[in-house]
Amino acid sequence: MQSAFKSLLKSPVFRPSALRFLKMTEKDLLAVPLVDVDSKGIFKYILIKVIGKEDCTDNEKNIVRGYADCDYHSDIYERVMKACKKTGLETECLGGGRIEHNPEKKYMKVYGFSQGFGKADHLESKRILQTKYKDYEIETTDEGY
C-alpha cells in the first residue's frame, strides 16, 4: 500500500466515502477504452492522456479519439474531457492529426497535425490503435494536414 494512502487512512478527517471515490476513479480509468475512432473515412484525431488520482496503481494512460462529426480537434477534446470529468478523471491533450480509415482494406494512415494542439506522437497513436485493430496495416507519416 502506498504511503500517501496509508496516511489518508490514519487521517482524523478521513471519510470512508473518500476511499470509495479513489476506488471508483481507478475503476473508471480502467474502463476508459484505449481507442474510439469512426469506423471509416478521413477525420481529425487527438492523442489524450487520461489521469486518475495519485493513489491509483496505474494512474494514467494514453488514448486515441477521432470523429468525423467534429470540425475541430478542440471539439473532440471537449467531448472527451467532459465525459472524463464526470468520473473524476483529468485529461491532457498531447496533440492531434488526421486518420484515414479504410476498413475494407484493413488500413489506417495516421498523419498531419492540429493547429491548436500541435502534432501528436503518431507512433504512440499507432501503438494504441493496434490494440484494437490488430490485423490492420497502420501507416504513420508527418506529411500532410
Side-chain angles (χ1 to χ4, degrees):
M1 206 180 271
Q2 296 176 346
S3 62
F5 188 67
K6 285 181 182 178
S7 298
L8 174 67
L9 290 175
K10 294 177 183 176
S11 166
V13 295
F14 173 73
R15 294 185 316 263
S17 62
L19 181 60
R20 284 194 301 275
F21 178 74
L22 290 175
K23 286 182 179 177
M24 284 186 63
T25 303
E26 184 172 10
K27 180 180 162 189
D28 291 331
L29 180 63
L30 293 172
V32 175
L34 292 174
V35 177
D36 184 20
V37 298
D38 279 352
S39 60
K40 65 179 178 177
I42 298 174
F43 45 85
K44 294 180 178 175
Y45 93 93
I46 56 175
L47 178 64
I48 303 169
K49 180 186 293 186
V50 182
I51 307 154
K53 296 297 178 196
E54 291 179 21
D55 289 330
C56 294
T57 53
D58 292 320
N59 72 336
E60 64 183 46
K61 68 180 178 181
N62 292 343
I63 63 173
V64 173
R65 297 293 183 265
Y67 310 116
D69 68 325
C70 292
D71 292 330
Y72 300 100
H73 292 94
S74 60
D75 296 335
I76 301 169
Y77 184 61
E78 188 173 321
R79 182 185 295 180
V80 176
M81 181 180 60
K82 284 181 181 178
C84 287
K85 278 206 180 284
K86 288 180 184 177
T87 59
L89 300 171
E90 296 296 323
T91 58
E92 176 186 346
C93 185
L94 302 176
R98 292 181 184 266
I99 292 176
E100 176 185 334
H101 186 182
N102 186 329
E104 291 81 27
K105 293 183 179 181
K106 295 191 177 205
Y107 171 81
M108 281 188 186
K109 181 178 178 180
V110 181
Y111 64 99
F113 63 94
S114 162
Q115 289 184 345
F117 296 117
K119 185 182 84 65
D121 180 342
H122 297 322
L123 292 176
E124 171 71 359
S125 300
K126 174 183 177 177
R127 184 191 66 74
I128 295 167
L129 288 165
Q130 286 175 322
T131 65
K132 181 172 181 177
Y133 299 99
K134 294 172 177 36
D135 57 345
Y136 269 54
E137 175 190 348
I138 302 177
E139 175 187 352
T140 63
T141 181
D142 290 337
E143 303 298 319
Y145 170 72

